[in-house]
Amino acid sequence: DAGITQSPRHKVTETGTPVTLRCHQTENHRYMYWYRQDPGHGLRLIHYSYGVKDTDKGEVSDGYSVSRSKTEDFLLTLESATSSQTSVYFCAISESEILCQPQHFGDGTRLSIL
Amino acid sequence: SQQGEEDPQALSIQEGENATMNCSYKTSINNLQWYRQNSGRGLVHLILIRSNEREKHSGRLRVTLDTSKKSSSLLITASRAADTASYFCATALFMETSGSRLTFGEGTQLTVNP
């Protein structure tokens, strides 16, 4: 398995609180991604990173921000959590984008916002 | 917007039978990838087929791609109880302005009964 660790694995929090999810990789891959998975929607891209301090928005970026200060860490922050952000969040990494190579996924963070 | 759509949404078969899942998509692609997701885990890459390929095999997996019909199928032969999982197709497209993107369908839930 690719060395990807997501933390925490489970979190329950209240509406309006800030939440930060962490993705840590040991593969030294350049590209990192945050997805959310919801019934009826499959996986949707939130934000991605193509290098340290280089990030861009995905399909469903509203209400989320990201940061990448080191190659191995990619943080996803919900500044003020809402119930619509209850979901399972997956981090993924990829070695190359130009060749559209497969992505390797972490085991997810299940986030519940009450 | 969702690119891939899997069919059927759910499939239940007996051990030893073959399982076929289909995926349709709407735009051009560089390649198409299939992933498996076990309950409570992240997605695992199974097989990648390039847009200029028509068929690819990997162990008990056979993938076909018909770019004229914008469709793909995944065949799992001689299924086992351990094949029980959700299966997702993902279309990959590289664009100069936005890099490489994977767009996932909603998945097929496969249940293999012992």
Side-chain angles (χ1 to χ4, degrees):
Chain A
D1 290 345
I4 307 169
T5 305
Q6 291 187 233
S7 59
R9 290 296 315 279
H10 303 271
K11 187 172 182 66
V12 180
T13 190
E14 294 183 348
T15 300
T17 60
V19 178
T20 295
L21 308 182
R22 179 180 184 238
C23 177
H24 178 78
Q25 61 142 331
T26 58
E27 305 296 320
N28 202 35
H29 283 354
R30 178 180 175 187
Y31 300 92
M32 299 185 75
Y33 310 84
W34 277 108
Y35 293 89
R36 60 178 288 174
Q37 184 176 35
D38 304 286
H41 291 279
L43 270 80
R44 293 180 291 175
L45 183 65
I46 305 171
H47 281 281
Y48 66 99
S49 170
Y50 46 96
V52 173
K53 298 185 179 178
D54 291 324
T55 65
D56 207 345
K57 297 178 180 179
E59 180 185 357
V60 290
S61 60
D62 287 349
Y64 302 95
S65 63
V66 290
S67 66
R68 191 170 177 197
S69 58
K70 298 184 290 184
T71 299
E72 56 267 36
D73 289 327
F74 193 31
L75 304 181
L76 176 71
T77 297
L78 290 66
E79 300 290 348
S80 179
T82 68
S83 58
S84 65
Q85 294 176 311
T86 291
S87 186
V88 182
Y89 291 86
F90 288 96
C91 173
I93 64 175
S94 176
E95 193 169 12
S96 169
E97 276 217 328
I98 293 177
L99 300 178
C100 295
Q101 290 300 299
Q103 294 178 9
H104 305 283
F105 287 79
D107 280 335
T109 294
R110 185 173 295 275
L111 178 63
S112 296
I113 300 164
L114 307 177
Chain B
S1 61
Q2 288 301 120
Q3 169 76 308
E5 293 185 6
E6 286 94 342
D7 171 57
Q9 289 187 324
L11 179 62
S12 181
I13 60 175
Q14 296 300 122
E15 215 166 20
E17 293 180 341
N18 296 339
T20 300
M21 289 159 270
N22 302 298
C23 172
S24 60
Y25 58 93
K26 298 177 182 176
T27 64
S28 60
I29 61 173
N30 290 110
N31 65 56
L32 187 143
Q33 303 173 22
W34 286 90
Y35 289 79
R36 183 188 74 227
Q37 183 180 32
N38 290 94
S39 181
R41 302 297 300 274
L43 278 71
V44 175
H45 175 256
L46 295 175
I47 194 166
L48 179 155
I49 185 166
R50 294 183 176 81
S51 60
N52 61 353
E53 297 177 312
R54 292 296 168 259
E55 187 171 314
K56 201 162 184 180
H57 297 255
S58 177
R60 294 184 295 113
L61 305 180
R62 172 179 170 253
V63 170
T64 62
L65 179 65
D66 186 336
T67 52
S68 67
K69 295 182 179 178
K70 291 186 167 57
S71 67
S72 174
S73 67
L74 171 67
L75 169 67
I76 304 174
T77 60
S79 63
R80 306 166 182 169
D83 294 329
T84 293
S86 292
Y87 291 82
F88 295 86
C89 70
T91 53
L93 181 65
F94 177 79
M95 299 181 70
E96 289 289 343
T97 53
S98 59
S100 171
R101 291 293 169 270
L102 281 187
T103 306
F104 290 85
E106 294 178 25
T108 293
Q109 172 61 50
L110 172 66
T111 301
V112 181
N113 302 298

